[in-house]
């Protein structure tokens, strides 16, 4: 694959990147709803037309249900419109520099396994934790012996370029599956 557009919308901060021949051209951070605007900005900045993209890599979660669906719907639409393959990669792979801990809301975090647990249930002694969950539960984790980089450290923001390094099987985007770790909050109306 020559030119890959990668993105992840599953967490509180979304990220997208353009990678050409294994080299990062650029990366942007945005809200999930603005990922296509960020992608357009990247393309314009580096002179990449949509038709020059050879493949997509998308984060599949865990994370917010709505945000995961935004990412997968975007991947499906782009792949169909451009006629290109896609690969799904766990959002947990979008973090480098420590054990990813994503805020799952409701007093829980997503982490390696993948699993969803209460923060106090994690054995974190001697570990370096990264992600918005690590920042949110900093006091608890540090009291348990974890190292948490400063809140403004970039390791807490997911990186789309890191997803590309974990992409393996490329195929039809409509075959990508979300990584949900708990049942949805929404219930069917009667």
């Amino acid at each position: 694959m020559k030119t890959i557009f990668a993105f992840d919308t599953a967490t509180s901060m979304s990220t997208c990147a353009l990678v050409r021949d294994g080299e990062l051209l650029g990366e942007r951070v945005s809200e999930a709803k603005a990922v296509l605007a960020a992608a357009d900005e990247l393309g314009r900045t580096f002179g990449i037309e949509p038709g020059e993209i050879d493949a997509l890599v998308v984060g599949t979660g865990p994370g917010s249900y709505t945000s995961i669906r935004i990412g997968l719907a975007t991947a499906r639409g782009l792949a169909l419109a451009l006629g290109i393959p896609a690969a799904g990669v766990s959002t947990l792979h979008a973090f480098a520099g420590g054990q990813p801990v994503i805020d799952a809301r409701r007093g829980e975090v997503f982490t390696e396994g993948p699993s969803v647990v209460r923060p106090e249930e994690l054995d974190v002694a001697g570990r370096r934790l990264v992600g918005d969950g690590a920042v949110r539960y900093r006091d608890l984790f540090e009291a348990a012996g974890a190292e948490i980089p400063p809140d403004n450290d970039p390791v807490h923001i997911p990186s789309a370029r890191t997803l590309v390094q974990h992409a393996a099987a490329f195929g039809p985007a409509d075959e990508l599956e979300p990584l949900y770790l708990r049942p949805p909050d929404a219930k069917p109306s009667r």
Side-chain angles (χ1 to χ4, degrees):
M1 305 290 168
K2 287 187 128 269
T3 304
I4 296 174
F5 173 57
F7 60 101
D8 186 283
T9 60
T11 68
S12 58
M13 296 299 296
S14 295
T15 178
C16 66
L18 276 173
V19 176
R20 177 172 272 169
D21 296 325
E23 297 295 321
L24 176 69
L25 294 179
E27 188 165 20
R28 300 288 186 271
V29 175
S30 68
E31 294 180 327
K33 65 184 179 184
V35 73
L36 285 178
D40 183 58
E41 178 191 336
L42 273 174
R44 290 176 192 275
T45 300
F46 295 99
I48 306 282
E49 295 292 325
E52 295 178 74
I53 297 172
D54 299 305
L56 302 172
V57 174
V58 61
T60 57
S64 155
Y65 282 95
T66 301
S67 295
I68 292 169
R69 287 191 295 268
I70 288 170
L72 289 176
T74 300
R76 289 174 179 149
L78 286 173
L80 179 65
L82 300 173
I84 58 176
V89 178
S90 169
T91 298
L92 294 168
H93 290 303
F95 294 89
Q99 177 180 337
V101 180
I102 300 170
D103 185 8
R105 308 280 191 251
R106 293 191 268 163
E108 296 176 322
V109 294
F110 299 119
T111 192
E112 294 171 338
S115 63
V116 58
V117 297
R118 299 191 59 73
E120 59 272 11
E121 295 171 350
L122 279 178
D123 178 13
V124 298
R127 295 189 182 177
R128 185 171 197 254
L129 306 180
V130 299
D132 60 359
V135 171
R136 181 170 186 186
Y137 296 103
R138 171 185 294 284
D139 293 341
L140 177 86
F141 291 141
E142 287 180 338
E147 174 197 348
I148 314 290
D151 290 4
N152 63 350
D153 193 307
V155 297
H156 296 301
I157 299 172
S159 169
R161 71 172 171 247
T162 304
L163 290 178
V164 174
Q165 298 166 0
H166 294 278
F170 286 83
D174 61 349
E175 293 179 6
L176 299 177
E177 293 290 329
L179 179 56
Y180 298 138
L181 297 182
R182 62 180 179 208
D185 292 333
K187 305 289 183 225
S189 60
R190 294 184 176 197

